[in-house]
């Protein structure tokens, strides 16, 4: 009932292999995001999407690409995984709020994907 | 640029003690949201509170209370009479309302509550 699911939940992959993480939502929210969590850094934004086929880079986008071909799915791809990309990845979705009622903003995080690159 | 600072990396208290987690933020935006999340050992992010930049009222929810002060750019979180179940990592975050709702997180404070 969370409205957002990430897959896989855990993955171990080898250096140099491509990896794709999937985020799926059932809320029809316009905005979707990928964050990574590393010790000492909190969560940092990798890429985000503000509509189908509309994506942009966050603060730690090097080595990552994304795609959003339909509203409900946002894919994160590591073209050639490196050990520095070992992390926990969180997807998030957000509704676009209204200027008049600031409390209209909803934000939901997925359960996370633990990726280990060996 | 947006920045959230949680200077306390780790705090250890004994059960029933009160504890305050500090959060200081930087932004030039006039409209923004501030959040606190709890991350238990299981790893999920648990939403605790959201506060918009125009609402400086303090909030209390059970043993939890939050003190938002725009004058000092702080949004501190106090747990009264801490319990072992409060042990977790706590994150403070700022959301940019007029920039695609992007989040900026602090580095987190790990709270250890000992029995």
């Amino acid at each position: 009932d969370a409205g957002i699911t990430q897959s896989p939940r855990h993955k171990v992959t080898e250096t140099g292999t491509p990896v794709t993480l999937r985020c799926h939502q059932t809320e029809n929210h316009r905005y979707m995001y990928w964050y990574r969590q590393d010790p000492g850094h909190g969560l940092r934004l990798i890429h985000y999407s503000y509509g189908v086929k509309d994506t942009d880079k966050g603060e730690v986008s090097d080595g990552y690409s994304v795609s959003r071909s339909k509203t409900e799915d946002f894919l994160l791809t590591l073209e050639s995984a490196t050990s520095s990309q070992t992390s926990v990845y969180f997807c998030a979705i957000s509704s676009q709020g209204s200027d008049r009622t600031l409390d209209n903003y909803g934000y939901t995080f997925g359960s996370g994907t633990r990726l280990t690159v060996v | 640029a947006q920045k959230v600072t949680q200077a306390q990396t780790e705090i250890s208290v004994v059960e029933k003690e009160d504890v305050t987690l500090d959060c200081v933020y930087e932004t030039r935006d006039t409209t923004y949201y501030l959040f606190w999340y709890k991350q238990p050992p299981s790893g999920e992010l648990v939403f605790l509170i959201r506060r918009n930049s125009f609402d400086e009222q303090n909030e209390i929810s059970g043993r939890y209370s939050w003190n938002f002060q725009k004058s000092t750019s702080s949004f501190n979180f106090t747990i009264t009479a801490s319990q072992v179940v409060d042990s977790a990592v706590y994150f403070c975050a700022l959301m940019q309302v007029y920039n695609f709702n992007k989040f900026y997180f602090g580095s987190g404070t790990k709270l250890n509550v000992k029995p």
Side-chain angles (χ1 to χ4, degrees), chain A residues 71-117:
Chain A
T71 299
E72 56 266 36
D73 288 328
F74 192 32
L75 304 180
L76 176 70
T77 297
L78 291 65
E79 302 291 348
S80 178
T82 67
S83 59
S84 64
Q85 294 175 312
T86 291
S87 187
V88 179
Y89 292 85
F90 284 94
C91 177
I93 58 174
S94 174
S95 60
Q96 186 176 15
S98 161
D99 286 354
R100 294 185 179 180
T101 54
L102 288 176
D103 285 341
N104 237 8
Y105 292 85
Y107 215 99
T108 306
F109 284 90
S111 300
T113 294
R114 184 172 295 275
L115 177 67
T116 303
V117 183

CSV table of all heavy atoms in Angstrom, one decimal, chain A residues 71-117:
chain,number,residue,atom,x,y,z
A,71,THR,N,4.9,7.3,-16.7
A,71,THR,CA,4.7,8.0,-15.5
A,71,THR,C,5.2,7.2,-14.3
A,71,THR,O,5.8,7.6,-13.3
A,71,THR,CB,3.3,8.5,-15.3
A,71,THR,OG1,3.0,9.4,-16.3
A,71,THR,CG2,3.1,9.2,-13.9
A,72,GLU,N,4.8,5.9,-14.3
A,72,GLU,CA,5.0,5.0,-13.1
A,72,GLU,C,6.3,4.5,-12.9
A,72,GLU,O,6.6,4.0,-11.8
A,72,GLU,CB,3.9,3.9,-13.2
A,72,GLU,CG,4.0,3.0,-14.4
A,72,GLU,CD,3.0,3.5,-15.4
A,72,GLU,OE1,2.8,4.7,-15.6
A,72,GLU,OE2,2.4,2.6,-16.1
A,73,ASP,N,7.2,4.5,-13.9
A,73,ASP,CA,8.5,3.9,-13.8
A,73,ASP,C,9.7,4.8,-14.0
A,73,ASP,O,9.7,5.6,-14.9
A,73,ASP,CB,8.7,2.7,-14.8
A,73,ASP,CG,7.8,1.5,-14.4
A,73,ASP,OD1,7.6,1.3,-13.2
A,73,ASP,OD2,7.3,0.8,-15.3
A,74,PHE,N,10.7,4.7,-13.1
A,74,PHE,CA,11.9,5.5,-13.2
A,74,PHE,C,13.0,4.6,-13.0
A,74,PHE,O,13.2,4.0,-11.9
A,74,PHE,CB,11.8,6.6,-12.1
A,74,PHE,CG,12.9,7.7,-12.3
A,74,PHE,CD1,13.3,8.1,-13.5
A,74,PHE,CD2,13.4,8.3,-11.1
A,74,PHE,CE1,14.2,9.2,-13.6
A,74,PHE,CE2,14.3,9.4,-11.2
A,74,PHE,CZ,14.7,9.8,-12.5
A,75,LEU,N,13.9,4.4,-14.0
A,75,LEU,CA,15.0,3.5,-14.0
A,75,LEU,C,16.3,4.2,-13.8
A,75,LEU,O,16.6,5.3,-14.4
A,75,LEU,CB,15.0,2.7,-15.3
A,75,LEU,CG,13.8,2.0,-15.7
A,75,LEU,CD1,14.0,1.3,-17.1
A,75,LEU,CD2,13.3,1.0,-14.7
A,76,LEU,N,17.1,3.6,-12.9
A,76,LEU,CA,18.5,4.1,-12.7
A,76,LEU,C,19.5,3.1,-13.2
A,76,LEU,O,19.4,1.9,-12.8
A,76,LEU,CB,18.7,4.4,-11.2
A,76,LEU,CG,20.1,4.8,-10.8
A,76,LEU,CD1,20.4,6.3,-11.3
A,76,LEU,CD2,20.3,4.7,-9.3
A,77,THR,N,20.4,3.5,-14.1
A,77,THR,CA,21.3,2.6,-14.7
A,77,THR,C,22.8,3.0,-14.4
A,77,THR,O,23.1,4.2,-14.5
A,77,THR,CB,21.2,2.5,-16.2
A,77,THR,OG1,19.9,2.0,-16.5
A,77,THR,CG2,22.2,1.6,-16.8
A,78,LEU,N,23.5,2.0,-13.9
A,78,LEU,CA,24.9,2.2,-13.8
A,78,LEU,C,25.5,1.5,-15.0
A,78,LEU,O,25.5,0.3,-15.1
A,78,LEU,CB,25.4,1.5,-12.5
A,78,LEU,CG,25.1,2.1,-11.1
A,78,LEU,CD1,23.6,2.1,-10.8
A,78,LEU,CD2,25.8,1.4,-10.0
A,79,GLU,N,26.1,2.3,-15.9
A,79,GLU,CA,26.5,1.7,-17.2
A,79,GLU,C,27.7,0.7,-17.0
A,79,GLU,O,27.7,-0.3,-17.6
A,79,GLU,CB,27.0,2.8,-18.1
A,79,GLU,CG,25.9,3.9,-18.4
A,79,GLU,CD,24.8,3.3,-19.3
A,79,GLU,OE1,24.9,2.2,-19.8
A,79,GLU,OE2,23.7,4.0,-19.4
A,80,SER,N,28.6,1.0,-16.1
A,80,SER,CA,29.7,0.1,-15.8
A,80,SER,C,30.0,0.3,-14.3
A,80,SER,O,30.7,1.3,-13.9
A,80,SER,CB,30.9,0.5,-16.6
A,80,SER,OG,32.0,-0.3,-16.3
A,81,ALA,N,29.5,-0.6,-13.5
A,81,ALA,CA,29.5,-0.4,-12.0
A,81,ALA,C,31.0,-0.3,-11.5
A,81,ALA,O,31.8,-1.1,-11.9
A,81,ALA,CB,28.7,-1.5,-11.3
A,82,THR,N,31.2,0.5,-10.5
A,82,THR,CA,32.4,0.6,-9.8
A,82,THR,C,32.2,0.4,-8.3
A,82,THR,O,31.1,0.6,-7.8
A,82,THR,CB,33.1,2.0,-10.1
A,82,THR,OG1,32.3,3.0,-9.4
A,82,THR,CG2,33.2,2.3,-11.5
A,83,SER,N,33.3,0.1,-7.6
A,83,SER,CA,33.2,-0.1,-6.2
A,83,SER,C,32.7,1.1,-5.4
A,83,SER,O,32.0,1.0,-4.4
A,83,SER,CB,34.5,-0.6,-5.6
A,83,SER,OG,35.5,0.4,-5.8
A,84,SER,N,32.9,2.3,-6.0
A,84,SER,CA,32.5,3.5,-5.3
A,84,SER,C,31.0,3.7,-5.4
A,84,SER,O,30.4,4.6,-4.8
A,84,SER,CB,33.2,4.8,-6.0
A,84,SER,OG,32.8,4.9,-7.3
A,85,GLN,N,30.3,2.9,-6.2
A,85,GLN,CA,28.9,3.0,-6.4
A,85,GLN,C,28.2,2.0,-5.4
A,85,GLN,O,27.0,1.9,-5.4
A,85,GLN,CB,28.5,2.7,-7.8
A,85,GLN,CG,28.9,3.9,-8.7
A,85,GLN,CD,28.6,3.6,-10.2
A,85,GLN,OE1,28.9,2.6,-10.7
A,85,GLN,NE2,28.0,4.6,-10.8
A,86,THR,N,29.0,1.3,-4.6
A,86,THR,CA,28.4,0.5,-3.5
A,86,THR,C,27.7,1.4,-2.6
A,86,THR,O,28.3,2.4,-2.0
A,86,THR,CB,29.5,-0.3,-2.8
A,86,THR,OG1,30.0,-1.3,-3.7
A,86,THR,CG2,28.9,-1.0,-1.5
A,87,SER,N,26.4,1.2,-2.4
A,87,SER,CA,25.6,2.2,-1.6
A,87,SER,C,24.2,1.6,-1.4
A,87,SER,O,23.8,0.6,-1.9
A,87,SER,CB,25.5,3.5,-2.4
A,87,SER,OG,24.9,4.5,-1.6
A,88,VAL,N,23.4,2.4,-0.7
A,88,VAL,CA,22.0,2.1,-0.6
A,88,VAL,C,21.3,3.2,-1.4
A,88,VAL,O,21.5,4.4,-1.2
A,88,VAL,CB,21.5,2.2,0.9
A,88,VAL,CG1,20.0,1.9,0.9
A,88,VAL,CG2,22.2,1.1,1.7
A,89,TYR,N,20.4,2.7,-2.3
A,89,TYR,CA,19.8,3.6,-3.3
A,89,TYR,C,18.3,3.7,-2.9
A,89,TYR,O,17.6,2.7,-2.7
A,89,TYR,CB,19.9,3.1,-4.7
A,89,TYR,CG,21.3,3.2,-5.2
A,89,TYR,CD1,22.2,2.2,-4.9
A,89,TYR,CD2,21.8,4.3,-5.9
A,89,TYR,CE1,23.6,2.3,-5.3
A,89,TYR,CE2,23.1,4.4,-6.3
A,89,TYR,CZ,24.0,3.4,-6.0
A,89,TYR,OH,25.3,3.5,-6.5
A,90,PHE,N,17.8,5.0,-2.8
A,90,PHE,CA,16.4,5.2,-2.4
A,90,PHE,C,15.8,6.0,-3.6
A,90,PHE,O,16.3,7.0,-4.1
A,90,PHE,CB,16.3,6.1,-1.2
A,90,PHE,CG,16.6,5.4,0.1
A,90,PHE,CD1,17.8,5.4,0.7
A,90,PHE,CD2,15.5,4.7,0.7
A,90,PHE,CE1,18.1,4.7,1.9
A,90,PHE,CE2,15.8,4.0,1.9
A,90,PHE,CZ,17.0,4.0,2.5
A,91,CYS,N,14.6,5.5,-4.0
A,91,CYS,CA,13.8,6.2,-4.9
A,91,CYS,C,12.8,7.0,-4.1
A,91,CYS,O,12.4,6.6,-2.9
A,91,CYS,CB,13.0,5.2,-5.8
A,91,CYS,SG,11.8,5.9,-6.9
A,92,ALA,N,12.3,8.1,-4.6
A,92,ALA,CA,11.2,8.9,-4.0
A,92,ALA,C,10.3,9.4,-5.0
A,92,ALA,O,10.7,9.6,-6.2
A,92,ALA,CB,11.9,10.0,-3.1
A,93,ILE,N,9.1,9.7,-4.6
A,93,ILE,CA,8.1,10.3,-5.4
A,93,ILE,C,7.5,11.5,-4.7
A,93,ILE,O,7.5,11.6,-3.5
A,93,ILE,CB,7.0,9.4,-5.8
A,93,ILE,CG1,6.3,8.8,-4.6
A,93,ILE,CG2,7.5,8.2,-6.7
A,93,ILE,CD1,5.0,7.9,-4.9
A,94,SER,N,7.1,12.5,-5.5
A,94,SER,CA,6.5,13.7,-4.9
A,94,SER,C,5.4,14.3,-5.7
A,94,SER,O,5.5,14.3,-7.0
A,94,SER,CB,7.6,14.8,-4.7
A,94,SER,OG,7.1,16.0,-4.2
A,95,SER,N,4.4,14.7,-5.1
A,95,SER,CA,3.3,15.4,-5.8
A,95,SER,C,3.7,16.9,-5.9
A,95,SER,O,4.4,17.4,-5.1
A,95,SER,CB,2.0,15.3,-5.0
A,95,SER,OG,2.1,15.8,-3.8
A,96,GLN,N,3.2,17.5,-6.9
A,96,GLN,CA,3.4,18.9,-7.1
A,96,GLN,C,2.4,19.7,-6.3
A,96,GLN,O,1.2,19.5,-6.6
A,96,GLN,CB,3.3,19.3,-8.6
A,96,GLN,CG,3.7,20.7,-8.8
A,96,GLN,CD,3.8,21.0,-10.3
A,96,GLN,OE1,3.2,20.3,-11.1
A,96,GLN,NE2,4.4,22.1,-10.7
A,97,GLY,N,2.8,20.4,-5.4
A,97,GLY,CA,1.9,21.1,-4.5
A,97,GLY,C,1.3,22.4,-5.1
A,97,GLY,O,1.6,22.7,-6.2
A,98,SER,N,0.7,23.1,-4.2
A,98,SER,CA,0.0,24.4,-4.6
A,98,SER,C,0.6,25.5,-3.9
A,98,SER,O,1.0,25.4,-2.7
A,98,SER,CB,-1.5,24.3,-4.4
A,98,SER,OG,-2.0,25.6,-4.4
A,99,ASP,N,0.8,26.7,-4.5
A,99,ASP,CA,1.3,27.8,-3.8
A,99,ASP,C,0.4,28.2,-2.7
A,99,ASP,O,0.8,28.8,-1.7
A,99,ASP,CB,1.4,29.0,-4.7
A,99,ASP,CG,2.6,28.8,-5.7
A,99,ASP,OD1,3.3,27.8,-5.5
A,99,ASP,OD2,2.8,29.6,-6.6
A,100,ARG,N,-0.9,28.0,-2.8
A,100,ARG,CA,-1.9,28.5,-1.8
A,100,ARG,C,-1.9,27.6,-0.6
A,100,ARG,O,-2.1,28.1,0.5
A,100,ARG,CB,-3.3,28.5,-2.4
A,100,ARG,CG,-3.4,29.5,-3.6
A,100,ARG,CD,-4.8,29.6,-4.0
A,100,ARG,NE,-5.0,30.6,-5.1
A,100,ARG,CZ,-6.2,30.9,-5.7
A,100,ARG,NH1,-7.2,30.2,-5.3
A,100,ARG,NH2,-6.2,31.7,-6.6
A,101,THR,N,-1.7,26.4,-0.8
A,101,THR,CA,-1.7,25.5,0.4
A,101,THR,C,-0.5,24.7,0.4
A,101,THR,O,-0.4,23.7,-0.2
A,101,THR,CB,-3.0,24.6,0.3
A,101,THR,OG1,-2.9,23.9,-0.9
A,101,THR,CG2,-4.2,25.3,0.4
A,102,LEU,N,0.5,25.2,1.2
A,102,LEU,CA,1.8,24.5,1.2
A,102,LEU,C,1.7,23.1,1.7
A,102,LEU,O,2.6,22.3,1.4
A,102,LEU,CB,2.8,25.4,2.0
A,102,LEU,CG,3.2,26.7,1.4
A,102,LEU,CD1,4.1,27.4,2.4
A,102,LEU,CD2,4.0,26.4,0.1
A,103,ASP,N,0.7,22.8,2.4
A,103,ASP,CA,0.6,21.5,3.0
A,103,ASP,C,0.1,20.4,2.0
A,103,ASP,O,-0.1,19.3,2.3
A,103,ASP,CB,-0.3,21.4,4.2
A,103,ASP,CG,0.3,22.1,5.4
A,103,ASP,OD1,1.6,22.1,5.4
A,103,ASP,OD2,-0.4,22.5,6.3
A,104,ASN,N,0.1,20.8,0.7
A,104,ASN,CA,-0.3,19.9,-0.3
A,104,ASN,C,0.8,19.0,-0.8
A,104,ASN,O,0.6,18.1,-1.6
A,104,ASN,CB,-0.8,20.7,-1.5
A,104,ASN,CG,-2.3,20.3,-1.9
A,104,ASN,OD1,-2.9,19.5,-1.2
A,104,ASN,ND2,-2.7,20.8,-3.0
A,105,TYR,N,2.0,19.3,-0.3
A,105,TYR,CA,3.1,18.5,-0.8
A,105,TYR,C,3.2,17.2,-0.1
A,105,TYR,O,3.3,17.1,1.1
A,105,TYR,CB,4.4,19.3,-0.6
A,105,TYR,CG,4.5,20.6,-1.4
A,105,TYR,CD1,3.9,21.7,-1.0
A,105,TYR,CD2,5.2,20.6,-2.6
A,105,TYR,CE1,4.0,22.9,-1.7
A,105,TYR,CE2,5.2,21.7,-3.4
A,105,TYR,CZ,4.6,22.9,-2.9
A,105,TYR,OH,4.7,24.0,-3.7
A,106,GLY,N,3.3,16.1,-1.0
A,106,GLY,CA,3.5,14.8,-0.4
A,106,GLY,C,4.8,14.3,-0.9
A,106,GLY,O,5.3,14.6,-2.0
A,107,TYR,N,5.5,13.5,-0.1
A,107,TYR,CA,6.8,13.0,-0.5
A,107,TYR,C,6.9,11.6,0.2
A,107,TYR,O,6.7,11.5,1.4
A,107,TYR,CB,7.9,13.9,0.1
A,107,TYR,CG,9.1,14.0,-0.8
A,107,TYR,CD1,9.3,15.1,-1.6
A,107,TYR,CD2,10.1,13.1,-0.7
A,107,TYR,CE1,10.4,15.3,-2.4
A,107,TYR,CE2,11.2,13.2,-1.5
A,107,TYR,CZ,11.4,14.3,-2.3
A,107,TYR,OH,12.5,14.5,-3.1
A,108,THR,N,7.2,10.6,-0.7
A,108,THR,CA,7.3,9.2,-0.2
A,108,THR,C,8.6,8.6,-0.7
A,108,THR,O,8.9,8.7,-1.9
A,108,THR,CB,6.1,8.4,-0.7
A,108,THR,OG1,4.9,9.1,-0.3
A,108,THR,CG2,6.1,7.0,-0.1
A,109,PHE,N,9.3,8.0,0.2
A,109,PHE,CA,10.5,7.2,-0.1
A,109,PHE,C,10.2,5.7,-0.2
A,109,PHE,O,9.4,5.2,0.5
A,109,PHE,CB,11.6,7.4,1.0
A,109,PHE,CG,12.2,8.8,0.9
A,109,PHE,CD1,11.7,9.8,1.6
A,109,PHE,CD2,13.4,9.0,0.1
A,109,PHE,CE1,12.3,11.1,1.6
A,109,PHE,CE2,14.0,10.2,0.1
A,109,PHE,CZ,13.4,11.3,0.8
A,110,GLY,N,10.9,5.1,-1.2
A,110,GLY,CA,10.9,3.7,-1.3
A,110,GLY,C,11.7,3.0,-0.1
A,110,GLY,O,12.3,3.7,0.7
A,111,SER,N,11.7,1.7,-0.1
A,111,SER,CA,12.4,1.0,1.0
A,111,SER,C,13.9,0.9,0.8
A,111,SER,O,14.5,0.4,1.7
A,111,SER,CB,11.7,-0.4,1.1
A,111,SER,OG,10.3,-0.3,1.4
A,112,GLY,N,14.4,1.2,-0.4
A,112,GLY,CA,15.8,1.2,-0.6
A,112,GLY,C,16.3,-0.1,-1.3
A,112,GLY,O,15.7,-1.1,-1.2
A,113,THR,N,17.4,0.1,-2.0
A,113,THR,CA,18.1,-1.0,-2.7
A,113,THR,C,19.5,-1.0,-2.2
A,113,THR,O,20.2,0.0,-2.4
A,113,THR,CB,18.0,-0.9,-4.2
A,113,THR,OG1,16.7,-1.0,-4.7
A,113,THR,CG2,18.9,-2.0,-4.9
A,114,ARG,N,19.9,-2.1,-1.7
A,114,ARG,CA,21.3,-2.2,-1.2
A,114,ARG,C,22.1,-2.8,-2.3
A,114,ARG,O,21.9,-4.0,-2.7
A,114,ARG,CB,21.4,-3.0,0.1
A,114,ARG,CG,22.8,-3.1,0.6
A,114,ARG,CD,22.9,-3.8,2.0
A,114,ARG,NE,22.1,-3.0,3.0
A,114,ARG,CZ,22.6,-2.0,3.7
A,114,ARG,NH1,23.9,-1.7,3.5
A,114,ARG,NH2,21.9,-1.4,4.6
A,115,LEU,N,23.0,-2.0,-2.9
A,115,LEU,CA,23.9,-2.5,-4.0
A,115,LEU,C,25.3,-2.6,-3.6
A,115,LEU,O,25.9,-1.7,-3.0
A,115,LEU,CB,23.8,-1.5,-5.2
A,115,LEU,CG,24.6,-1.8,-6.4
A,115,LEU,CD1,24.2,-3.1,-7.1
A,115,LEU,CD2,24.7,-0.7,-7.4
A,116,THR,N,25.9,-3.8,-3.8
A,116,THR,CA,27.3,-4.0,-3.5
A,116,THR,C,28.0,-4.3,-4.8
A,116,THR,O,27.6,-5.3,-5.6
A,116,THR,CB,27.4,-5.2,-2.6
A,116,THR,OG1,26.7,-4.9,-1.4
A,116,THR,CG2,28.9,-5.4,-2.2
A,117,VAL,N,29.0,-3.6,-5.1
A,117,VAL,CA,29.9,-3.8,-6.3
A,117,VAL,C,31.2,-4.4,-5.9
A,117,VAL,O,31.9,-3.8,-5.1
A,117,VAL,CB,30.1,-2.5,-7.1
A,117,VAL,CG1,30.9,-2.8,-8.4
A,117,VAL,CG2,28.7,-1.9,-7.4
